[in-house]
Coordinates of all heavy atoms in Angstrom, one line a residue:
T1131 N 175.0 57.3 67.7 CA 175.6 58.5 68.4 C 174.4 59.3 69.0 O 174.4 59.8 70.1 CB 176.5 59.3 67.5 OG1 177.6 58.5 67.1 CG2 177.0 60.5 68.3
K1132 N 173.4 59.5 68.1 CA 172.3 60.4 68.5 C 171.5 59.7 69.6 O 171.0 60.4 70.5 CB 171.4 60.6 67.3 CG 170.2 61.5 67.5 CD 169.4 61.7 66.2 CE 168.2 62.6 66.5 NZ 167.4 62.7 65.2
L1133 N 171.4 58.4 69.6 CA 170.6 57.7 70.6 C 171.4 57.3 71.9 O 170.8 56.8 72.8 CB 170.0 56.4 70.0 CG 169.1 56.6 68.8 CD1 168.6 55.2 68.3 CD2 167.9 57.4 69.1
A1134 N 172.7 57.5 71.8 CA 173.6 56.9 72.9 C 173.1 57.3 74.3 O 173.1 56.4 75.2 CB 175.0 57.4 72.7
P1135 N 172.7 58.6 74.6 CA 172.3 58.9 76.0 C 171.2 58.0 76.5 O 171.1 57.6 77.6 CB 171.9 60.4 75.9 CG 172.8 60.9 74.8 CD 172.8 59.8 73.8
D1136 N 170.2 57.8 75.6 CA 169.0 57.0 76.0 C 169.4 55.5 76.1 O 168.8 54.8 76.9 CB 167.9 57.2 75.0 CG 167.3 58.6 75.1 OD1 166.6 58.9 76.2 OD2 167.4 59.4 74.2
L1137 N 170.2 55.1 75.2 CA 170.7 53.7 75.3 C 171.4 53.4 76.5 O 171.3 52.4 77.2 CB 171.5 53.3 74.0 CG 170.9 53.5 72.7 CD1 171.9 53.1 71.6 CD2 169.6 52.6 72.6
L1138 N 172.3 54.3 76.9 CA 173.0 54.2 78.2 C 172.1 54.1 79.4 O 172.4 53.4 80.3 CB 174.1 55.3 78.3 CG 175.3 55.2 77.4 CD1 176.1 56.5 77.6 CD2 176.1 54.0 77.8
K1139 N 171.1 55.0 79.4 CA 170.1 54.9 80.5 C 169.5 53.5 80.6 O 169.3 53.0 81.7 CB 169.1 56.0 80.3 CG 169.5 57.4 80.7 CD 168.3 58.4 80.5 CE 168.7 59.8 80.8 NZ 167.6 60.7 80.6
A1140 N 169.1 53.0 79.5 CA 168.5 51.7 79.5 C 169.4 50.6 79.9 O 169.0 49.6 80.6 CB 168.0 51.4 78.0
I1141 N 170.7 50.7 79.6 CA 171.7 49.7 80.0 C 172.0 49.8 81.4 O 172.1 48.8 82.1 CB 173.0 49.9 79.1 CG1 172.7 49.5 77.7 CG2 174.1 49.0 79.7 CD1 173.8 49.8 76.7
T1142 N 172.2 51.0 81.9 CA 172.7 51.2 83.3 C 171.5 51.1 84.3 O 171.8 51.0 85.5 CB 173.4 52.5 83.5 OG1 172.6 53.6 83.1 CG2 174.7 52.5 82.6
E1143 N 170.3 51.2 83.9 CA 169.1 51.2 84.8 C 168.1 50.1 84.3 O 167.0 50.5 83.9 CB 168.5 52.5 84.9 CG 169.3 53.6 85.4 CD 169.5 53.5 87.0 OE1 168.8 52.7 87.6 OE2 170.3 54.3 87.5
P1144 N 168.6 48.9 84.2 CA 167.7 47.8 83.7 C 166.4 47.6 84.4 O 165.4 47.1 83.9 CB 168.6 46.6 83.7 CG 169.6 46.8 84.8 CD 169.8 48.3 84.7
S1145 N 166.4 48.0 85.7 CA 165.2 47.8 86.5 C 164.1 48.8 86.2 O 162.9 48.6 86.5 CB 165.5 47.9 88.0 OG 166.0 49.2 88.3
K1146 N 164.5 49.9 85.5 CA 163.5 51.0 85.1 C 163.0 50.7 83.7 O 163.7 51.1 82.7 CB 164.1 52.4 85.3 CG 164.5 52.7 86.7 CD 165.0 54.1 86.8 CE 165.3 54.5 88.3 NZ 165.8 55.8 88.4
K1147 N 161.9 50.0 83.6 CA 161.4 49.6 82.3 C 161.1 50.7 81.4 O 161.2 50.6 80.1 CB 160.1 48.8 82.5 CG 160.4 47.4 83.2 CD 159.1 46.5 83.1 CE 158.8 46.1 81.7 NZ 157.7 45.1 81.7
E1148 N 160.8 51.9 81.9 CA 160.5 53.1 81.1 C 161.7 53.5 80.2 O 161.6 54.0 79.1 CB 160.0 54.3 81.9 CG 161.0 54.9 82.9 CD 160.9 54.2 84.3 OE1 160.5 53.1 84.4 OE2 161.3 54.9 85.3
F1149 N 162.9 53.3 80.8 CA 164.1 53.6 80.0 C 164.3 52.6 78.8 O 164.6 53.0 77.7 CB 165.4 53.5 80.9 CG 165.5 54.7 81.9 CD1 166.3 54.6 83.0 CD2 164.7 55.8 81.7 CE1 166.4 55.6 83.9 CE2 164.8 56.9 82.6 CZ 165.6 56.8 83.7
T1150 N 164.1 51.3 79.1 CA 164.1 50.4 78.0 C 163.1 50.6 77.0 O 163.3 50.5 75.7 CB 164.0 48.9 78.6 OG1 165.1 48.7 79.5 CG2 164.0 47.9 77.4
E1151 N 161.9 50.9 77.4 CA 160.8 51.1 76.5 C 161.0 52.4 75.6 O 160.8 52.3 74.4 CB 159.5 51.4 77.3 CG 158.9 50.1 77.9 CD 157.8 50.3 78.9 OE1 157.4 51.5 79.1 OE2 157.3 49.3 79.4
K1152 N 161.6 53.4 76.2 CA 161.9 54.6 75.4 C 163.0 54.3 74.4 O 162.9 54.7 73.2 CB 162.4 55.8 76.3 CG 162.7 57.0 75.5 CD 163.1 58.2 76.4 CE 163.4 59.4 75.6 NZ 163.9 60.5 76.4
A1153 N 164.0 53.5 74.8 CA 165.1 53.2 73.9 C 164.5 52.4 72.7 O 164.9 52.6 71.6 CB 166.2 52.3 74.6
L1154 N 163.6 51.4 73.0 CA 163.0 50.6 71.9 C 162.2 51.5 71.0 O 162.2 51.3 69.8 CB 162.2 49.5 72.5 CG 163.0 48.3 73.2 CD1 162.0 47.4 73.9 CD2 163.8 47.6 72.1
Q1155 N 161.5 52.5 71.6 CA 160.7 53.4 70.7 C 161.5 54.2 69.8 O 161.2 54.3 68.6 CB 159.9 54.3 71.6 CG 158.7 53.6 72.3 CD 158.0 54.6 73.3 OE1 158.4 55.7 73.5 NE2 157.0 54.1 74.0
L1156 N 162.7 54.7 70.3 CA 163.6 55.4 69.5 C 164.2 54.6 68.4 O 164.4 55.0 67.3 CB 164.7 56.0 70.4 CG 164.2 57.2 71.4 CD1 165.3 57.5 72.3 CD2 163.8 58.4 70.6
L1157 N 164.6 53.3 68.8 CA 165.2 52.4 67.8 C 164.2 52.1 66.7 O 164.5 52.0 65.5 CB 165.6 51.1 68.5 CG 166.9 51.3 69.4 CD1 167.1 50.0 70.2 CD2 168.1 51.6 68.5
A1158 N 162.9 51.9 67.1 CA 161.8 51.6 66.2 C 161.7 52.7 65.1 O 161.3 52.4 64.0 CB 160.5 51.3 66.9
G1159 N 161.9 53.9 65.5 CA 161.7 55.1 64.7 C 163.0 55.5 63.9 O 163.1 56.5 63.3
T1160 N 164.1 54.7 64.1 CA 165.3 55.0 63.5 C 165.6 54.2 62.2 O 165.3 53.0 62.2 CB 166.5 54.7 64.4 OG1 166.3 55.5 65.6 CG2 167.8 55.0 63.8
T1161 N 166.0 54.9 61.1 CA 166.3 54.2 59.9 C 167.9 54.1 59.9 O 168.6 55.1 59.8 CB 165.9 55.0 58.7 OG1 164.4 55.1 58.7 CG2 166.3 54.3 57.4
F1162 N 168.4 52.9 60.0 CA 169.8 52.7 60.0 C 170.3 52.7 58.5 O 169.9 51.9 57.7 CB 170.2 51.3 60.7 CG 169.9 51.4 62.1 CD1 168.7 50.9 62.7 CD2 170.9 51.8 63.0 CE1 168.5 50.9 64.0 CE2 170.7 51.9 64.4 CZ 169.5 51.4 64.9
M1163 N 171.3 53.6 58.3 CA 171.8 53.8 56.9 C 173.3 53.7 56.9 O 173.9 53.6 55.8 CB 171.4 55.1 56.4 CG 169.9 55.3 56.3 SD 169.4 56.9 55.7 CE 170.0 56.9 54.0
N1164 N 174.0 53.7 58.1 CA 175.4 53.7 58.1 C 176.0 52.5 58.8 O 175.2 51.8 59.5 CB 175.9 55.0 58.9 CG 175.5 56.3 58.2 OD1 176.2 56.7 57.3 ND2 174.4 56.9 58.7
R1165 N 177.2 52.2 58.5 CA 177.8 51.0 59.0 C 177.8 51.0 60.6 O 178.0 52.0 61.2 CB 179.3 50.9 58.6 CG 179.5 50.8 57.1 CD 178.9 49.6 56.5 NE 179.6 48.4 56.8 CZ 180.7 48.0 56.2 NH1 181.2 48.7 55.2 NH2 181.3 46.8 56.6
V1166 N 177.5 49.8 61.1 CA 177.4 49.6 62.6 C 178.7 49.1 63.1 O 179.2 48.0 62.6 CB 176.3 48.6 62.9 CG1 176.3 48.4 64.4 CG2 174.9 49.2 62.5
D1167 N 179.3 49.8 64.0 CA 180.7 49.4 64.5 C 180.5 48.7 65.9 O 179.4 48.5 66.4 CB 181.5 50.7 64.7 CG 180.8 51.8 65.5 OD1 179.9 51.4 66.3 OD2 181.2 52.9 65.4
A1168 N 181.7 48.2 66.4 CA 181.7 47.4 67.6 C 181.1 48.1 68.8 O 180.3 47.5 69.5 CB 183.1 47.0 67.9
P1169 N 181.4 49.4 69.1 CA 180.8 50.1 70.2 C 179.3 50.2 70.1 O 178.6 50.1 71.1 CB 181.5 51.5 70.2 CG 182.8 51.2 69.5 CD 182.5 50.2 68.4

């Protein structure tokens, strides 16, 4: 939920590598502790 805005940018603008890179950086710094749902 916290990362959703940046993930959406990466998904909807695949040609802009900076969005994907930022999303990966955020994911790399995230500790997943809660159940992951379908969305």
Side-chain angles (χ1 to χ4, degrees):
T1131 298
K1132 184 178 179 181
L1133 301 179
D1136 290 292
L1137 298 180
L1138 285 174
K1139 283 183 181 179
I1141 292 172
T1142 57
E1143 297 286 352
S1145 62
K1146 295 184 178 179
K1147 293 189 69 174
E1148 63 269 26
F1149 289 162
T1150 298
E1151 289 170 357
K1152 182 180 180 182
L1154 287 173
Q1155 288 174 1
L1156 291 170
L1157 288 169
T1160 299
T1161 300
F1162 290 94
M1163 301 178 65
N1164 296 278
R1165 300 295 292 275
V1166 175
D1167 52 23

